[in-house]
Each structure stands twice: as structure tokens, then as C-alpha cells.
Amino acid sequence: MTNREIATTLQTIADLLEIKGESRFRVGAYRRAAESLLNLGRDVADVRREGALEAVPGVGEAIALKVGELLDTGRLVYLETLEAEVPRSLTQLLGVPDLGPKKIKLFWEKAGVTDLAALEAAAKAGTLRDLPGMGPKSEAKLLEGLASLARRSGRTPLGRALPAAEAQLERLRAVPGVVRAEAVGSLRRRRETVGDLDLLVAASDPTAAMDAFTGQASVARVLGRGDTKASVEFQDGLRAQLWVHPPERFGTALVHATGSKEHNVALRERALARGLSLSEHALTPTDGGPEILLATEEEVHRALGLPYIPPELREATGEIRAAERGALPERLEVEHVRAALHNHSTWSDGKATIREMAEGAIARGYRVLAITDHSFGLGIAQGVDAEGLLRQRREIDAVQQELGDRLQLLQGIEVEIRADGTLDLPDDVLEALDVVVASLHVALRQPREQVTARALAALRNPHVDILGHPTGRLLPDREGADLDMDAVLSAARETGTALEINANPRRLDLPDVYVRRAMELGVMLSINTDAHRVEHYDFLSFGVDVARRGWVPPEAVINTWATERLVGWLGERKG
DNA sequence: GCCGTTTTCGGCCCGACTGTTTTCAGTCG
């Protein structure tokens, strides 16, 4: 079983226990363990072989036993017993907005509701209206929630959510009295997909900002509105939430709204241990002293005895402990990236000439640009062959002449890793190039052993410098190849090959959890936009965000190195 | 069910908002 499958099983247990009315702490324990497995970055089966299951955060004796049973038998007797008690189909009801475990239990016990269809039928028949705590408004809200569930299509990719949020922020910043407006929540933490858009505004009087937010033409429905918080659903089904807090409380508000929830819990526990209660409004001494107002996040962290913790690390995966020890990674900035090592031109499926790509790179402050068109084997991209590469070299030399020392051009290739694991250009051709990116595009659905063997063969080819977009996934829907990622990472370290963080928002590949594992193992990384046109260079910040989420310091990214060092490294790899 | 420079047992964040309620429960983040 995969980590994801085991995590899903633990989530199901949590759901069933919650509906059953079990202790919320026990429920939370299963959820924490599930989250922990998803963040592990390596196969839980390997961790178990090392006897280290209980070293995984949130996994204790009881859950370790259950994980072991799942790994050994693919089944879990505990879950089967639970399902005999509480119908599993009830868990789908938890996805309905504003419907939680208490009411689900009520509907199940008092109205015989066991799934979504039965819920809708019961609500329409009016049989839920008279249950305790229910009423006509609750019934209408429930029906609306069901309709909304049918309209929505899961989480929104960061690449779509970020521009939508920017448009909202621009609108809010224009409102009189608004001092600041920021995207918060998982968006600010730069998770690869987000649920709702979370926005935070600093203003002494919330009314104008709230009005501007809820009154837009694109708003289909106002879901709620209070003194400090409003939420809406746009016509396209996307939901957004706005908090408004006064500027002098913006620090605590920003910490609160950025999350993650688990990170906030850890921060608040830390505050309590210091005799302080932390909320979005203020830090308040528990002995009854006056509120301490904090306008910036830096002040909040300082008040808790911590250095600043950047948003993308706030996932409750050890960042507070690391901050305490002064062991947070040096933060990677877009400006650190000086080399673009994976780019296309009109020689394959790119839309810009080498010259145009070069000018675009200079405009963005790059010092090194590698042209890495597709090799000819990838049919859809009309790649270059050995003879084409010779002609392309002459063009690159000519453009280099014109550019002088404004930019160093490199000639490379994105060479296809074929279904049989060979590369579709011979070694002597690869050897003559400055940089070689090897990528999987075809036969991604091969069995684990087979597709892993292809990646390993590419990594072990001495001419390959970078493994491009390692998993081949496409967000939000196409899963990547079923790679044995620890084997891939180990081979990358052994051979000194860099793994790519592909910054295209549809890829974000290597995914952040494996990036963090790569850092544990000492693997080098290369952040590239895979630009097919000049504007694609602007994807870079997405790649930097993935690296930050993976605790990557600038030093571990070959694109940050000074030109001589980078070119020297590429040269040495030629032997 | 997990976890420990306050604990191996007794804790395990904090508040907004809504809809049902005469003071609170449920849900959300």
C-alpha cells in the first residue's frame, strides 16, 4: 500500500470515529498521523523496515500497529469492525459545507440517512426540519450546501488561485481606509493547490472593505458576514474569505489567517507555556494583564522567543523546533537564481527564437541561459536530432557574439528517456553539449520497477546533468509516475546529478515533500521554468516557493551558483 | 491516541459566525 492509501484509511477511521462521537483528541490523532504520512517524502514501508514507524510524528504504538497490519495484509480489522458500527457512506456527508459530525449522527440515527442521496431526499421531504437544533433556515442551508458540493470541483491549483487573489487584493487596496491587503491561508503558504481564497485586510473600519468584497458583480452568493469576517462564493464556484483587522493588530491577524491550523495550535501552546494566550486579536497575559498588540509577524514570533518563520514553512513539520535552535534554512529568493537551465526555442516546440529567449533572460537578470530543446524522439515536440544540434550550435555561437558578456549561452538538450529506458540520442552527441536535461514524457504508467529503472538509468548516464520534472505529473489531475522516489534520490546523490524543480505551475515537480527529503539526503536541485516562450520565465517564483516549502537553502540549488562555478561543474561532469 | 526542560498520566488553541436558541451548539479555519 502507498502512503496515500494508508493516509486515506487513517482519515476514514477519523471520520467514522468523529461521526460516532468519539473524543476529538483521538480523532485528531488519526488525522495528524495521516497528514504526517503524506508529508513523509518516502515510503512508509521503508520506514517500517527500519523499525522507525513510531519515530514518525503523530504515530504511536496503536497507529504503528495498524499501519503494519495494512502493509502486511492490505486490510485492517479495526476499520472493518468500525464500519460494521457506522456506515462508511456517512463519511461522504462530511464534504457538505456547514455539515459536521454532530448533525450527520443526528440525521443517521433519527432519520435513517446513510448517504448523500438519502440526505438530499430527507431534506427535500422536510423530515430533517423538526429535529433538535434544526429549523427552516438550517434546512435551506443544507440544500444549498448540497447544490454547492455538486457545483464545486475540488481544490484550485496555485497557478489559477494566485492571479484570482491578486485581482481581489488590487480591488481591496483601492478601498479608502485600507492600509494593507494580503493573500493568506494555504495561498500564502504556497501550497500547490488551495481550497478557498483567503484574504486579509488592515483597516480601522471594516465596513468599506467588506462592502467592496461582498458587493462585486462576480459574487454569486454571500455565505456569511460578521464584524471581522465575510465569505462569498463567486459565479465560477470558487469561494473566498475576507478578514479585516485594525493595522495595530495586523501581526497577530496575519499569523492567524496564514495558518496552518496545526502550526497555529503549536504556536498557541507555546504561548500558553509562557503565560500568554495568542489569538488573531492580540497576545494576552493569562494572569489578566493588558493585551499586547502586535502589528507585524516578526513581533509575534519575537514575543514567543522565536526568529521569523516564513509562511511556506508553517505546516507543523518541525519548523518551530528548528526556529528555536536557529536551524531554519537560509531563505531562497528569486534573485538568487542566476541561471536558466531548461528552456525551449523555435528549434523544437518553443514559440521564441534563441535571440528572443536570450533578450528575455537578460531583462530578468539571468547570467546564464541554456537552450535545451526536445530531442527528436518526442514526436509531439518536433525535436532536434544530432545534425540539427550542429546547426543550432552555429546559431547559438552567433547570438553569443552579439550578446557579448551580457549573458552566457549554453547549448543543451532535453533528451527523452524512452519507454525502454534508453535515451534517444547517443552518448557521443550528449557529450558534445554543455548541459543535458533528461526527462520522462512517455509510458508514465509503467509499473513501479520499470519506470523507476528508466529514471535510474538516466541518472547513471554520465552525460546527464539534470533529471527534468522527475515525476511527470500535471496538476491538478494527472498523477506522476509511480517512482520509487528514495531510489531516485539516492541515485541522484551517488551520481551527483541534480533533480529539477520544474516551476511551471502545472508541474511543480519535484513535489515539495520529496524536495524536503532530497535535502535530508544531500541531493542537489535545479530550479527551471521550462520556458516555451519568454513570459514563461515568470514562472520562476513558483519554483522558488516549492524549494522554500522543501527547506532548500540557496547553496543546494545549482542555478544560484556563480557562473564560473556552474560552468565548471557542468564541465567536470563531462569527465 | 499521542506526548513530555512543568508530566509516562493528564493534558491536548482560540475565536467568528450562524441558527437555534433564552444562554448555547455546531461548524469552520
Side-chain angles (χ1 to χ4, degrees), chain A residues 266-505:
Chain A
L267 270 190
R268 286 170 178 162
E269 283 172 350
R270 183 181 177 87
L272 281 177
R274 295 166 175 249
L276 297 161
S277 171
L278 174 64
S279 80
E280 59 264 54
H281 304 292
L283 200 55
T284 312
T286 46
D287 64 8
E291 280 188 329
I292 304 162
L293 305 191
L294 301 164
T296 69
E297 288 188 317
E298 285 79 358
E299 292 172 78
V300 178
H301 290 154
R302 201 180 312 130
L304 299 176
L306 296 170
Y308 180 67
I309 303 174
E312 60 274 7
L313 298 185
R314 301 181 198 167
E315 298 289 352
T317 55
E319 67 278 7
I320 293 177
R321 203 173 293 232
E324 223 166 30
R325 301 200 326 267
L328 292 177
E330 183 191 345
R331 199 178 188 194
L332 180 70
E333 305 290 345
V334 166
E335 293 72 30
H336 286 133
V337 178
R338 307 155 60 94
L341 297 176
H342 177 181
N343 307 281
H344 298 267
S345 74
T346 47
W347 282 83
S348 65
D349 60 348
K351 302 300 179 213
T353 63
I354 291 173
R355 175 73 202 224
E356 289 163 344
M357 291 299 285
E359 293 295 347
I362 291 168
R364 286 161 181 79
Y366 280 116
R367 307 307 306 270
V368 175
L369 172 68
I371 299 297
T372 55
D373 277 301
H374 290 285
S375 55
F376 69 96
L378 189 62
I380 55 165
Q382 300 152 2
V384 281
D385 57 14
E387 189 271 332
L389 283 169
L390 293 176
R391 286 185 289 119
Q392 189 195 46
R393 173 68 84 174
R394 288 197 290 276
E395 180 176 333
I396 288 176
D397 288 345
V399 175
Q400 180 71 74
Q401 279 284 305
E402 298 168 31
L403 296 174
D405 60 3
R406 292 197 292 154
L407 180 72
Q408 174 146 6
L409 290 180
L410 301 177
Q411 187 189 25
I413 192 84
E414 181 179 14
V415 65
E416 184 62 18
I417 305 171
R418 293 189 290 214
D420 65 0
T422 61
L423 302 179
D424 72 349
L425 282 171
D427 281 359
D428 61 323
V429 173
L430 299 180
E431 191 175 8
L433 297 165
D434 303 319
V435 55
V436 174
V437 179
S439 304
L440 293 160
H441 294 96
V442 297
L444 290 174
R445 297 273 80 87
Q446 283 176 345
R448 187 179 179 86
E449 292 72 28
Q450 207 177 344
V451 73
T452 302
R454 288 164 68 198
L456 296 185
L459 288 167
R460 291 189 177 126
N461 182 310
H463 304 300
V464 171
D465 304 303
I466 299 168
L467 184 67
H469 47 72
T471 78
R473 72 168 177 176
L474 286 179
L475 295 168
D477 294 325
R478 193 176 89 187
E479 295 251 347
D482 182 21
L483 290 171
D484 179 343
M485 198 51 80
D486 247 31
V488 169
L489 292 167
S490 300
R493 185 179 54 176
E494 280 165 29
T495 60
T497 315
L499 294 192
E500 182 175 71
I501 296 177
N502 190 293
N504 185 311

Side-chain angles (χ1 to χ4, degrees), chain A residues 168 171-172 175 197-199 207-219 222 224-225 229-234 239-244:
Chain A
Q168 288 297 314
R171 185 185 178 85
L172 289 165
V175 174
L197 297 186
D198 292 318
L199 309 165
T207 314
M210 293 271 204
D211 287 347
F213 180 64
T214 58
Q216 318 175 56
S218 55
V219 166
V222 177
R225 174 167 174 171
K229 210 168 108 179
S231 56
V232 301
E233 185 174 310
F234 294 112
R239 289 182 170 209
Q241 181 164 238
L242 173 72
W243 284 270
V244 184

Side-chain angles (χ1 to χ4, degrees), chain A residues 177 243 505 512 542:
Chain A
W243 284 270
D512 51 17
F542 289 104

